[in-house]
């Protein structure tokens, strides 16, 4: 995985610049929105009994964790803070795992829309609350494969003395040899192909149903199709990050300042941007969730105003 969370790796201690401040503001905004959405999810019983909302909550939790940890790594790296390698391995392992959880969950959400639209009679059976629990376990199991591959190769290659060294924590610390990067890239590209195939399959099937539908069914089907398109765009942004290391490595050979700027743009575009689309797709476009969110937010505001008056 690209260490997009460390924008200025390798530089000496320096005052906080505008880029870091902008990232902190964006991260705080996204985390605040995600927290509000997560609280709304647990406020209404129908949400945590419906597959698409449960998977939505999984993406919110995954994105929040990834944003928080990657931001901590960015700050520590910016100020060249060192820590034991074994501690950095634990942090990096969490980042690698949840870096994959979001795109895999998005693929599962797309498949859920496919079942709801193309197999409506079996939707209740295939997308029950119990089957959703198994789905979440499968999502984390599939997401753990790259994590297990990277750690297994690292443990087989690193000496025992390496774990006690103090280093600036970057996720590249798990890559000791170039061939390790090649294997990791191969695993990610395999996932890329599988998830893109699933998205295209669902899009084509839903498109056929949308053309054949009529009236209210047609309106509902086209809305589901737009959701799949948004998932595809969000997934594309997540997966393009897999190519960022190759771009950054080529740019680094040209100019260090250009490399820092490209890495900063990659972080904003392919880590922050995809994670702000989840609230848009299900938090604002979904009428049921939007009304619950609006009611919860206004209720909290009303209570706060009443308390101030008292």
């Amino acid at each position: 995985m690209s260490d997009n969370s460390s924008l200025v790796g390798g530089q000496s201690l320096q005052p906080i610049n505008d880029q870091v401040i902008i990232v902190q503001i964006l991260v705080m905004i996204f985390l605040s929105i995600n927290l509000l959405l997560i609280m709304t999810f647990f406020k209404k019983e129908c949400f945590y009994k419906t597959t698409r909302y449960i998977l939505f909550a999984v993406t919110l939790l995954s994105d929040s964790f990834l944003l928080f940890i990657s931001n901590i790594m960015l700050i520590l790296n910016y100020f060249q803070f060192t820590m034991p390698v074994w501690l950095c391995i634990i942090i990096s392992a969490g980042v690698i795992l949840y870096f994959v959880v979001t795109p895999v969950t998005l693929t599962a959400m797309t498949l859920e829309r496919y079942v709801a639209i193309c197999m409506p009679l079996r939707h209740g059976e295939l997308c029950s609350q119990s089957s959703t629990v198994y789905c979440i376990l499968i999502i984390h199991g599939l997401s753990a494969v790259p994590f297990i591959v990277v750690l297994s190769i690292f443990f087989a290659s690193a000496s025992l003395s390496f774990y006690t060294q103090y280093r600036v924590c970057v996720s590249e610390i798990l890559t000791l040899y170039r061939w390790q990067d090649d294997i990791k890239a191969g695993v990610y590209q395999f996932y890329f192909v599988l998830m893109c195939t699933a998205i295209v399959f669902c899009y084509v099937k839903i498109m056929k149903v949308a053309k054949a539908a009529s009236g209210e069914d047609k309106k509902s089907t086209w809305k589901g199709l737009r959701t799949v398109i948004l998932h595809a765009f969000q997934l594309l942004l997540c997966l393009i990050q897999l190519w960022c290391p190759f771009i950054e490595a080529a740019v680094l050979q040209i100019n260090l300042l250009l490399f820092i700027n490209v890495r900063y743009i990659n972080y904003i575009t392919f880590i922050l941007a995809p994670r702000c689309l989840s609230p848009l797709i299900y938090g604002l476009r979904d009428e049921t969730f939007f009304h619950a969110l609006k009611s919860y937010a206004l209720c909290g505001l009303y209570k706060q105003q009443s308390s101030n008056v008292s």
Side-chain angles (χ1 to χ4, degrees), residues 38-72:
I38 291 168
M39 293 174 69
T40 303
F41 169 79
F42 286 106
K43 284 289 181 178
K44 206 164 185 178
E45 186 178 355
C46 68
F47 291 148
Y48 48 86
K49 287 189 175 180
T50 306
T51 298
R52 68 177 183 271
Y53 295 121
I54 295 173
L55 294 178
F56 171 51
V58 170
T59 62
L60 289 176
L61 291 169
S62 170
D63 290 346
S64 299
F65 176 83
L66 185 62
L67 286 176
F68 179 76
I69 296 299
S70 65
N71 190 52
I72 294 296

Side-chain angles (χ1 to χ4, degrees), residues 83-87 89 154-155 157-167 173 176-177:
M83 65 176 65
V85 169
W86 63 266
L87 179 58
I89 291 171
F154 174 79
F155 290 146
S157 306
S159 62
L160 292 177
S161 60
F162 184 69
Y163 298 101
T164 57
Q165 296 179 16
Y166 278 73
R167 299 282 185 91
I173 204 169
L176 302 177
Y177 303 101

Side-chain angles (χ1 to χ4, degrees), residues 108-119:
M109 293 171 77
T110 301
L111 291 171
E112 186 274 334
R113 287 293 82 199
Y114 161 73
V115 173
I117 294 171
C118 300
M119 306 167 63

Side-chain angles (χ1 to χ4, degrees), residues 238-255:
C238 289
L239 296 177
I240 286 177
Q241 189 188 354
L242 304 178
W243 297 93
C244 290
F246 305 105
I247 299 172
E248 292 167 3
V251 172
L252 182 59
Q253 303 299 319
I254 301 172
N255 184 274

Side-chain angles (χ1 to χ4, degrees), residues 59-272:
T59 62
L60 289 176
L61 291 169
S62 170
D63 290 346
S64 299
F65 176 83
L66 185 62
L67 286 176
F68 179 76
I69 296 299
S70 65
N71 190 52
I72 294 296
M73 291 179 69
L74 180 150
I75 295 171
L76 295 179
N77 186 272
Y78 187 83
F79 291 107
Q80 295 292 283
F81 181 85
T82 59
M83 65 176 65
V85 169
W86 63 266
L87 179 58
C88 181
I89 291 171
I90 295 174
I91 296 173
S92 299
V95 171
I96 293 172
L97 174 62
Y98 282 94
F99 168 73
V100 182
V101 165
T102 292
V104 174
T105 307
L106 288 174
T107 305
M109 293 171 77
T110 301
L111 291 171
E112 186 274 334
R113 287 293 82 199
Y114 161 73
V115 173
I117 294 171
C118 300
M119 306 167 63
L121 297 179
R122 299 200 61 192
H123 183 260
E125 174 191 350
L126 296 175
C127 299
S128 64
Q129 192 174 9
S130 58
S131 63
T132 304
V133 174
Y134 291 118
C135 179
I136 293 172
L137 293 175
I138 292 172
I139 287 170
H140 283 77
L142 291 173
S143 303
V145 172
F147 155 82
I148 293 171
V149 170
V150 171
L151 284 188
S152 299
I153 295 172
F154 174 79
F155 290 146
S157 306
S159 62
L160 292 177
S161 60
F162 184 69
Y163 298 101
T164 57
Q165 296 179 16
Y166 278 73
R167 299 282 185 91
V168 174
C169 187
V170 294
S171 53
E172 280 96 343
I173 204 169
L174 296 173
T175 304
L176 302 177
Y177 303 101
R178 181 55 186 266
W179 59 268
Q180 292 174 310
D181 241 350
D182 295 337
I183 293 176
K184 182 169 63 175
V187 173
Y188 282 140
Q189 302 317 315
F190 177 69
Y191 272 59
F192 178 91
V193 172
L194 284 182
M195 289 186 277
C196 285
T197 302
I199 292 287
V200 172
F201 170 80
C202 293
Y203 177 83
V204 171
K205 291 292 184 180
I206 294 175
M207 177 68 81
K208 290 181 179 178
V209 173
K211 288 182 177 180
S214 60
E216 288 297 320
D217 288 338
K218 192 177 188 70
K219 182 180 178 182
S220 175
T221 303
W222 278 103
K223 185 176 180 181
L225 186 63
R226 288 195 297 270
T227 300
V228 171
I229 294 172
L230 284 171
H231 281 325
F233 178 67
Q234 186 180 11
L235 187 61
L236 180 63
L237 290 178
C238 289
L239 296 177
I240 286 177
Q241 189 188 354
L242 304 178
W243 297 93
C244 290
F246 305 105
I247 299 172
E248 292 167 3
V251 172
L252 182 59
Q253 303 299 319
I254 301 172
N255 184 274
L256 178 61
L257 181 60
L258 180 61
F259 165 77
I260 294 172
N261 291 330
V262 168
R263 179 164 274 197
Y264 174 75
I265 293 171
N266 285 344
Y267 182 81
I268 296 292
T269 307
F270 303 120
I271 286 195
L272 293 186

